[in-house]
Each structure stands twice: as structure tokens, then as C-alpha cells.
Amino acid sequence: MVTETLAGLRTRLVVEGGRRLAGSLTVPGAKNAALPIMAATILCEGEVVLHRVPRITDVDVMAYILESLGARVREQPGGTLVINSTSVTSHTAPYALVSKLNASFDITGALLGRFGIAEVPRPGGCVLGPRAIDLHLDGFGRLGASVDLEHGSVIVTGRRLRGTTIPLAKPSVGATKNLMLAAVRAEATTRIENAAREPEVVDLADFLVAMGARIQGQGSPSIVIEGVRRLHGGEYTIIPDRLVAGTYLLAGAITGGDVTVRGLDPTMLASLQEVLRATGAEVAAEGVSVRVQAPRRWTATDVTTAPYPGFPTDLQPLIVAYLSLAQGTSTVEETIFDARFVYVSELARMGADITVAGRTATIRGVPALKDAVVEAPDIRAGGALVLAALAAQGTSEIGGLEHIDRGYEFLEERLAELGAAIVRISAAEPVTLRPHVGETQDLAAIVSAFGARPAAGSPGTQPGG
Ligand code: UD1
């Protein structure tokens, strides 16, 4: 299932900027719900059929992790995965796969709940800073497990977990999911206080309930889990990805366009809608769709990231890209991840005027961005660079697609459908030998020069692309 792009470091996106995006699209499934739900199948006896699973490389890696533990994973057309974890025999997650996926520590709670023991490599640092797991480990301890670190792996042992109250010092998304997974088959009742309220946490809880768990309060700061003996198989549809939806709305907005995302509950994007309105964009939320119409030039505003329902840290790089073209000076404060401004130097290479002091970025709006060759350092920063390139004058080239493909399904195909001039090129030669695309205005020439895969292909034909 792993796609060419996992290894394809020379693959790049070429974007001819300056085209107004318009149209509508249906939002794919949420990565941050799909990954823990896939991990949760470890707790289920029988076949689990998951619909609206996004075709992204993180899902491929999680599928490989499950297979390496002994599960059977089958892909069906249209974003359906059939997972049978009844045959899982191993409680030891392989380092080679886990190290590729920050979210993979989420399987610890599921393995612990199933086997009474889990051995998972300790997550390393990532571009957003060190991935802390103290709240996860403290919670496992409160449930009666013991925690050891051996040869770089966390070994959590607890043959008889017993429910209790777990107060989280911060509403950590990962800790809430992991502890819910550990508690679902524990004896007695667990209460997670100061729990994360993100829709993806709610989706994991709803999935577990659909498989026989007893959980209440998901979406509130207090989640109550009454342990059950077993979970069964069944069918479930993953919620749409609000972060991907936000990306397309901002892609429309930054090009002065008119984009509608369909298929998701607009309240999931309430904070983004509020920010966009503050910049002068027209936002209409109706039923299960959100439409954003951008003004010709938008105004600056201030944004602070916060746990849900606050402004999501994952949309922070994208809103910074948008505000870099606003009239006036904006500030964006990042309160979740210390190191989440690493991409700002790449935006600056496109002409953005941004200074970062501590956890606040000051963005002095410029009238235009210019083309550049840039590198995506992580998924959402990659999305931000694509947005900047869509709005920039000239033709930009974006590398680091191994990050972008972790979280965006058929990104260039979907943007092309909205009117973007964007292609994915797979350079057969080292990229340094290519002509300077910044001087090339003709996208067709670039496509033929590199033998690029055209962007107009059917999404269904490019798994994981
Ligand atoms: C998840 C999302 C990520 C999103 C983030 C915040 C997935 C796969 N990833 O990441 O896209 O940006 O939520 O919405 O769902 N922390 C601790 N101790 C812990 C755990 C976390 O101090 O034990 C800190 C982290 O360092 C970070 C903050 O809490 O500063 C938030 O982390 P958390 O909510 O756990 O994020 P993730 O689950 O890693």
C-alpha cells in the first residue's frame, strides 16, 4: 500500500500562481481520526469495515504497523479499509515503522488494553519539537500499569487495569485517545478530566461505542468510560477532515476566489470562519457545507491557536500564509507547539514579511508574493507553501512532498479541479539539473520537460497520492 511518494524524495509540485480558485469539493476523511481508529481495531474481535479512510501515506504506515502485529488489512475501492485484528499476536511495535509516524504511539493504549502489555518505541523529536508523552504514561500508571524504558522502547505492563479518575494537566489529544483506548476494556469506570474535546477524539469514542464500548461525555472536558469485557467488529464511517477542509477554503481565499467545502459539520470550522470574517471574507455555513468568498484584498487580524474549539494549531501555518497578503499587520500566537514556525523562512523566500519572537509571529502584509523553490518541513507547513505558491506571481516549486502526502489526499488533483495550475513532477535526473522553473511561464513546457504526471487524473486511480 505504500505509495511511490514515500520514497520519492525527488518528487515535487510545480505551481503557476495567480489563478483564482473557484468551485466545490467533498472533504475526505480525517487523518487524525482514522489513525487512532485503525489502532483501536486491535481491541476488537472480528472484522472492522472503515469507510471514508483518507488515501494518505500515514494511513499506509498505520496499516503496515497493524499487519506487522499480525492483523489482516484489505483495501477496497473508494476509501474503505477492512481490518481484522483478531489475529494480532504481537504486542511489540516495530521501530522502523513507528518512527515514520508521530501518531503511532496511540497504539500503546490499544495493545495494553488487549494484551496487558505494550512495547512501543519512544517517539523521537519531530519538526514541531519533542513529542512529550508524560501525560500518557502518568495516565497508564493511574490505571494500574507499570512503565519502563528499555532499549529506547516504552514497556507498559498492566494485566488487570482498573478504572480511576485521570486528571490531565493539559487537554492533550494524544493522551486522551491513548487513555480512552487503555480504559475501554479495563475493570470499573475511568473518568478522564480536562480531556481534549477535538472532533477526532469524539470520533474515536463514537467508533468504540459502535463496537460495544460504554463511553459518555466525549466532546466535553470530562469523558467517562465504563469498562466492558469485549469489543466486537462492525462498520463505521470516519468524520471528514476539518484541517483539509480549512486548507481548501484558505486556498480559495488566498487566490481571491470562491470555494465551497461539502460534507462536514460547519461548527468544526467555527474558529476559522470567525477569523476569515474578521479579514473581510464572506463566509456562508449552511447544512453540511461552508463557502468562503474572498475580497480582492483582505485586512489583517490577530489569531491565537488553542485547543478545540479554539483556532487549530494545524491551520496556523496556513492562516499565516493568507495573512502575509493582508492589508496591515497581523499577529499569530502559537500556544500548542513551541517549534511550529519553522516554515516561516520558506515563506520569507517568497516575499512574505514575517518576524517571529518567541511564540508570536508578526506578519506585515505585502501586496504580492513571488515564486520560489521551497521545501515543506511538515504536513501543514507544506499546505501553507502550496497556498503561497497558488497566490504568488510566477511559477514555484515545492519539495518535501513526503510530508504533504502524509496528510493530503490527491492534493494537486483537487486543486486542479478548482482551477489551479499545479502538477507533480518526478524528476528522473537530480533536481539540480533541471531548468530554472522560476523563469518558465509555460506549465505545459514544464510538464513535458519532466514527464510529469498530469494533475487532472481521477483521484480514484492514484492510491495514496
Ligand atoms: C494531535 C494531532 C496534531 C495536532 C495536535 C493538537 C494527531 C495524529 N495529531 O497531536 O495534528 O496539532 O493534536 O491539536 O492527532 N503534551 C505534553 N505531554 C504529553 C502529551 C502532550 O506536554 O504527554 C503537550 C505537547 O508537547 C504539545 C501539547 O501538549 O505541546 C499538545 O499535544 P497533543 O494534544 O497531545 O497533540 P498530539 O496528540 O501529539
Side-chain angles (χ1 to χ4, degrees), residues 297-303 316-333 341 343-344 347 351-357 360-366 369:
R297 187 91 199 270
W298 43 98
T299 49
T301 192
D302 297 333
V303 179
Q316 179 261 99
L318 298 122
I319 203 75
V320 167
Y322 173 69
L323 292 174
S324 71
L325 283 167
Q327 238 161 352
T329 299
S330 311
T331 61
V332 173
E333 192 187 348
F341 282 125
Y343 66 91
V344 159
L347 272 186
D353 183 356
I354 305 171
T355 43
V356 177
T360 302
T362 302
I363 305 141
R364 283 166 293 275
V366 293
L369 293 173

Side-chain angles (χ1 to χ4, degrees), residues 31-33 35-36 58 102-103 106 128 130-137 170-177 196 198 200 242-243 306-308 312-314 335-338 340 380:
K31 168 179 90 70
N32 291 351
L35 297 175
D58 267 12
N102 295 327
D106 291 359
L128 304 183
R131 304 296 276 206
I133 51 168
D134 54 312
L135 303 175
H136 305 234
L137 301 185
K170 302 184 189 177
S172 155
V173 172
T176 305
K177 288 175 185 168
E198 269 67 3
E200 296 76 21
R242 65 196 163 102
L243 307 170
Y308 190 84
T313 170
D314 295 74
T335 69
I336 312 289
F337 288 108
D338 293 342
R340 201 156 202 168
R380 307 301 165 195

Side-chain angles (χ1 to χ4, degrees), residues 31 54-61 404-409 464-465:
K31 168 179 90 70
R55 277 153 292 174
I56 51 177
T57 55
D58 267 12
V59 163
D60 295 342
V61 176
I404 293 177
D405 290 336
R406 286 186 47 212
Y408 289 105
E409 168 185 293

Side-chain angles (χ1 to χ4, degrees), residues 182-264:
V184 85
R185 281 172 54 171
E187 286 172 16
T189 300
T190 301
R191 187 179 288 272
I192 305 176
E193 299 290 2
N194 197 22
R197 298 161 61 190
E198 269 67 3
E200 296 76 21
V201 172
V202 176
D203 207 36
L204 172 62
D206 289 349
F207 166 79
L208 290 167
V209 168
M211 302 303 137
R214 292 206 191 114
I215 305 176
Q216 284 182 326
Q218 58 270 37
S220 83
S222 182
I223 301 179
V224 181
I225 305 142
E226 203 186 313
V228 294
R229 278 190 182 282
R230 58 179 293 270
L231 298 182
H232 47 74
E235 209 161 330
Y236 191 78
T237 301
I238 311 271
I239 53 164
D241 197 312
R242 65 196 163 102
L243 307 170
V244 169
T247 302
Y248 288 111
L249 289 176
L250 284 164
I254 201 170
T255 60
D258 178 357
V259 167
T260 302
V261 291
R262 287 191 315 256
L264 95 166

Side-chain angles (χ1 to χ4, degrees), residues 49-93:
V49 181
L50 296 176
H51 301 294
R52 197 155 55 198
V53 180
R55 277 153 292 174
I56 51 177
T57 55
D58 267 12
V59 163
D60 295 342
V61 176
M62 184 56 94
Y64 268 128
I65 291 175
L66 292 175
E67 281 175 344
S68 77
L69 295 170
R72 289 197 302 275
V73 184
R74 227 170 54 235
E75 195 178 359
Q76 289 179 348
T80 294
L81 278 186
V82 182
I83 305 176
N84 195 328
S85 294
T86 317
S87 50
V88 168
T89 47
S90 172
H91 63 265
T92 308

